[in-house]
């Protein structure tokens, strides 16, 4: 769907992927849902449409419609920087596991999406299904990666 600004008609869609620092597997349960909420809210502030996305255990896939007035690098920097500050504020235990003020690794992957939009949507959906299958067989999920042996489900109560 094409959108317009004052003197521009545009359709700019991007598939963006980034990882936590040291590719740590950190996004489980409540934190995974929280990352999704934070990213959606940050996009809303900038007028960016989140078309699809998933927070996997060790990376983020997000499919965005970004107005041409913003550079993709600016938006990725904004999302990674602001989400880090918000997550460290809400989950102070994360801060001691990551040196400095970096939660996300420095780089990211981006591709423009045009006629292959359905393929990208299917790929992102399959990432979530693959992650769910993997979680069934991963015995380390019974432990909270931040506190040791407490179960993740106990924090949600």
């Amino acid at each position: 769907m094409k959108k317009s600004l004052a003197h521009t008609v545009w359709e700019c869609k991007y598939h963006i992927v980034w990882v936590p620092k040291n590719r740590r597997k950190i996004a489980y349960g409540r934190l995974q849902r929280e990352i999704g909420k934070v990213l959606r809210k940050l996009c809303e502030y900038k007028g960016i449409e989140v078309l699809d996305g998933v927070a996997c255990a060790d990376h983020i896939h997000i499919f965005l419609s970004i107005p041409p007035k913003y550079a993709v690098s600016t938006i990725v920097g904004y999302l990674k920087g602001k989400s880090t500050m918000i997550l460290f504020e809400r989950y102070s235990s994360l801060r001691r596991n990551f040196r400095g003020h970096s939660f996300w690794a420095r780089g990211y992957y981006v591709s423009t999406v045009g006629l292959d939009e359905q393929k990208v949507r299917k790929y992102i959906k399959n990432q979530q299904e693959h992650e769910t299958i993997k979680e069934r067989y991963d015995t380390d999920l019974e432990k909270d990666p931040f506190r040791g042996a407490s179960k993740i489900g106990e924090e949600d109560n």
Side-chain angles (χ1 to χ4, degrees), residues 132-146:
T132 305
I133 291 167
K134 189 174 158 186
E135 287 174 4
R136 285 188 217 148
Y137 298 105
D138 193 351
T139 58
D140 291 337
L141 290 178
E142 296 299 314
K143 296 179 183 176
D144 183 341
F146 307 112

Side-chain angles (χ1 to χ4, degrees), residues 12-14 16 43 48-51 62-66 79:
C12 303
K13 298 175 184 174
Y14 302 92
I16 304 169
C43 286
I48 295 166
E49 186 179 356
V50 178
L51 302 171
I62 195 162
F63 184 28
L64 301 175
S65 179
I66 302 174
L79 292 175

Side-chain angles (χ1 to χ4, degrees), residues 66-78:
I66 302 174
K69 65 182 180 179
Y70 296 120
V72 177
S73 59
T74 302
I75 295 304
V76 173
Y78 165 76

Side-chain angles (χ1 to χ4, degrees), residues 34-43 83 86-87 90:
E34 190 72 25
I35 289 171
K37 288 178 189 175
V38 167
L39 292 174
R40 280 189 297 278
K41 193 58 132 174
L42 291 172
C43 286
S83 66
I86 292 167
L87 292 171
R90 293 181 184 172

Side-chain angles (χ1 to χ4, degrees), residues 79-93:
L79 292 175
K80 289 169 64 175
K82 293 293 184 188
S83 66
T84 295
M85 292 188 316
I86 292 167
L87 292 171
F88 280 172
E89 184 178 306
R90 293 181 184 172
Y91 297 91
S92 59
S93 63

Side-chain angles (χ1 to χ4, degrees), residues 18 26-29 31-37 39-40 52-62 104 124 127-128 131 135:
W18 68 83
I26 49 91
Y28 294 112
L31 181 61
Q32 189 175 30
R33 289 187 300 276
E34 190 72 25
I35 289 171
K37 288 178 189 175
L39 292 174
R40 280 189 297 278
D52 212 343
V54 64
C56 297
D58 63 347
H59 62 286
I60 302 293
H61 280 275
I62 195 162
W104 305 111
I124 290 173
Q127 283 291 309
Q128 181 65 36
E131 198 70 23
E135 287 174 4

